[in-house]
Each structure stands twice: as C-alpha cells, then as structure tokens.
Amino acid sequence: GLLISVIREPTVLEAIDEALFLDLPSSVDYLAGGANERHWRAQVRPLPRREGSLEALAFLTLRDETDLRRIERMRVDFRANASHELRTPLASLSGFIETLKGHARDDPKARDRFLDIMATQADRMSRAFIWKVAFGFCKICIASIKANLHNMPTFLHANLLELIEKISHWPL
C-alpha cells in the first residue's frame, strides 16, 4: 500500500513484485511525466531472506538518467550534422570533378573557373567543419561536465561553472 503511493509507475511495481515473489532481479527504464519530463532507471534486486523468515525483501535504486539521455541525443545530433556538413560540399566537389572530366576538359577557361570554385569550397568546408567539430565537441563535453558536477571536488565548481557559462554563449 505505501509503495504504490510513492511509486506509481506500473513497470517498476511489476519489477518489485518479480523481485519479491519470483526472486528475479530486473532493470526498468521509464519516463516520469509532468512539467519537466525525467528519464529514470529503476533497478530491483531481491535480498536474501533472513533465516527462518518468510518475509521477502528487495533493494530498489532509482537513477535519474535525464542528463545522460540529453547528452546522448546531443552526440547523435552532432554526428548527423557533421555528416551533413561533409556530404553537401563533397557532392558539389564531385559534380565539378565530373564536369572537368567531361565537356570542360578541353576548355581551359572553364577548367580554371571550376578549379578555383573547388579550391574555395574545399577551404570553406575544411574551416567550417573543423570549427563545428571543435565547438560541437565542446558543447557535448560541457553538458557532460554539468551532468557530473556533483561528482567533482567542490573547489572546482565555481571555476567550471564560470568557464561553462562563457563557452555556452559562443556561436556554433
């Protein structure tokens, strides 16, 4: 009765029942709704019964994984953006190469114009990609530091938070 008033997630309650009545450990991921949705992982482990006792006990741990999921989503989005940043200019360069192999092969003016455009595109792609990779990686690291700040020595908190605040406003 008391547990149901505290934990209302059916999958967690089911995992607790399995630990208590079937002696099975389990892990359950669930989303707690509300104004700020939170991702949780519940782990339930049956505890050994005391000698001569029929009372079943289980150990329940709840871990808030919201920040970890957000960081993972950032990493996936970053990878997709980086891939797009490479594919688009590479497609353009491939088109110019095909043109140079084809009808522009014997046209020195067209060839020079295409080579100049290709050089500009390659340079721009290189600079933009390196910039995005560096700062995208920084943002992922910052999110990870924020998520794990509670595990760091307290004397670092103020310095890290100040640095994070400055870096967070850099444009990507």
Side-chain angles (χ1 to χ4, degrees):
L2 179 61
L3 188 59
I4 289 176
S5 65
V6 177
I7 297 176
R8 297 172 187 234
E9 175 60 36
T11 56
V12 175
L13 295 172
E14 186 177 313
I16 292 169
D17 283 348
E18 288 174 356
L20 292 174
F21 301 113
L22 301 175
D23 211 33
L24 296 173
S26 63
S27 182
V28 175
D29 292 327
Y30 69 98
L31 184 65
N36 295 317
E37 283 190 340
R38 308 298 293 178
H39 291 271
W40 291 90
R41 171 163 294 176
Q43 292 185 311
V44 186
R45 302 283 179 259
L47 294 174
R49 294 184 194 272
R50 283 182 257 155
E51 196 173 316
S53 173
L54 296 177
E55 183 181 44
L57 298 173
F59 186 74
L60 169 67
T61 58
L62 297 173
R63 179 177 171 180
D64 185 349
E65 294 190 342
T66 305
D67 290 333
L68 294 172
R69 300 244 179 153
R70 186 174 49 79
I71 292 166
E72 178 60 20
R73 198 170 41 253
M74 285 174 67
R75 190 186 64 74
V76 168
D77 290 347
F78 172 72
R79 179 180 281 158
N81 285 338
S83 176
H84 174 75
E85 291 291 325
L86 279 176
R87 272 196 315 265
T88 303
L90 285 175
S92 173
L93 290 174
S94 294
F96 286 130
I97 290 168
E98 283 181 35
T99 303
L100 287 172
K101 286 181 173 180
H103 68 274
R105 174 189 314 207
D106 300 324
D107 184 346
K109 265 186 160 176
R111 185 183 61 231
D112 289 344
R113 188 168 56 91
F114 283 127
L115 288 173
D116 287 344
I117 292 171
M118 290 170 66
T120 301
Q121 287 288 338
D123 183 54
R124 197 165 93 209
M125 180 177 70
S126 174
R127 281 185 283 126
F129 183 70
I130 289 170
W131 182 257
K132 283 198 179 265
V133 166
F135 285 104
F137 184 71
C138 280
K139 287 193 176 220
I140 292 170
C141 291
I142 287 168
S144 181
I145 289 169
K146 281 182 175 179
N148 292 297
L149 198 59
H150 62 279
N151 291 329
M152 296 179 188
T154 53
F155 70 88
L156 290 177
H157 289 196
N159 292 336
L160 282 173
L161 289 173
E162 181 182 338
L163 177 64
I164 287 169
E165 182 63 27
K166 287 179 181 176
I167 292 174
S168 295
H169 297 293
W170 290 352
L172 231 177

